[in-house]
Amino acid sequence: MSKPVDLGSLKEGHNVIIDGEPCKIVEIEKSKPGKHGSAKVRLVAIGIFDNVKRSLVGPADNRVEVPIVEKRSGQIVSISPDYVSVMDSETLQIVDVPHPTDEELKNKLEPGATVDYWSIMGRHMIVAVK
């Protein structure tokens, strides 16, 4: 799920969808409107799931998609070599979440532990262990 916003209203730290991938903005540069043109925005963002650097350039009044981030919590049911099964604390639905890339966070995972995870565009990632 996503919502459209003006490119000129984005700031560093916000999220944006570039090439179909949700990204976090790390650098943004806005130029003033010229005599015959509109203001331009240049931004650099890093993919939330794949850590790939992407850039986007366009007019400030251009519409771009911003992903809706659902911040949820749940309990770890089981851990497999590829995925961590997490039962959502509100819906009691079990979702398979890939292992986190952060080694410190990965070492804290154990069955029965409570975790915070994000759901973005149908994909999930664990962000914290309580």
Side-chain angles (χ1 to χ4, degrees), residues 10-16 18 23-29 42-48 51-56:
L10 295 174
K11 295 179 174 43
E12 282 186 28
H14 287 186
N15 296 326
V16 66
I18 301 175
C23 303
K24 185 176 187 96
I25 298 172
V26 293
E27 182 182 326
I28 193 159
E29 180 183 319
R42 293 165 191 79
L43 61 86
V44 177
I46 295 182
I48 294 174
N51 289 329
V52 173
K53 187 186 251 187
R54 294 176 174 86
S55 62
L56 181 68

Side-chain angles (χ1 to χ4, degrees), residues 32-40:
K32 294 184 179 182
K35 186 174 182 181
H36 298 289
S38 61
K40 299 281 188 280

Side-chain angles (χ1 to χ4, degrees), residues 50-71:
D50 59 4
N51 289 329
V52 173
K53 187 186 251 187
R54 294 176 174 86
S55 62
L56 181 68
V57 179
D61 59 352
N62 212 18
R63 303 291 274 181
V64 292
E65 294 291 318
V66 173
I68 297 173
V69 179
E70 292 181 51
K71 298 178 180 178

Side-chain angles (χ1 to χ4, degrees), residues 24-122:
K24 185 176 187 96
I25 298 172
V26 293
E27 182 182 326
I28 193 159
E29 180 183 319
K30 297 177 183 177
S31 63
K32 294 184 179 182
K35 186 174 182 181
H36 298 289
S38 61
K40 299 281 188 280
V41 176
R42 293 165 191 79
L43 61 86
V44 177
I46 295 182
I48 294 174
F49 292 103
D50 59 4
N51 289 329
V52 173
K53 187 186 251 187
R54 294 176 174 86
S55 62
L56 181 68
V57 179
D61 59 352
N62 212 18
R63 303 291 274 181
V64 292
E65 294 291 318
V66 173
I68 297 173
V69 179
E70 292 181 51
K71 298 178 180 178
R72 310 193 60 94
S73 67
Q75 185 175 11
I76 296 177
V77 178
S78 66
I79 300 174
S80 69
D82 298 329
Y83 290 97
V84 178
S85 295
V86 177
M87 182 173 63
D88 191 279
S89 56
E90 290 178 25
T91 64
L92 303 180
Q93 178 184 4
I94 295 180
V95 292
D96 288 331
V97 182
H99 284 281
T101 55
D102 182 14
E103 210 53 49
E104 186 177 318
L105 191 60
K106 190 185 277 189
N107 293 335
K108 292 181 182 177
L109 297 179
E110 59 184 43
T114 304
V115 295
D116 289 334
Y117 70 97
W118 291 354
S119 179
I120 306 169
M121 297 172 56

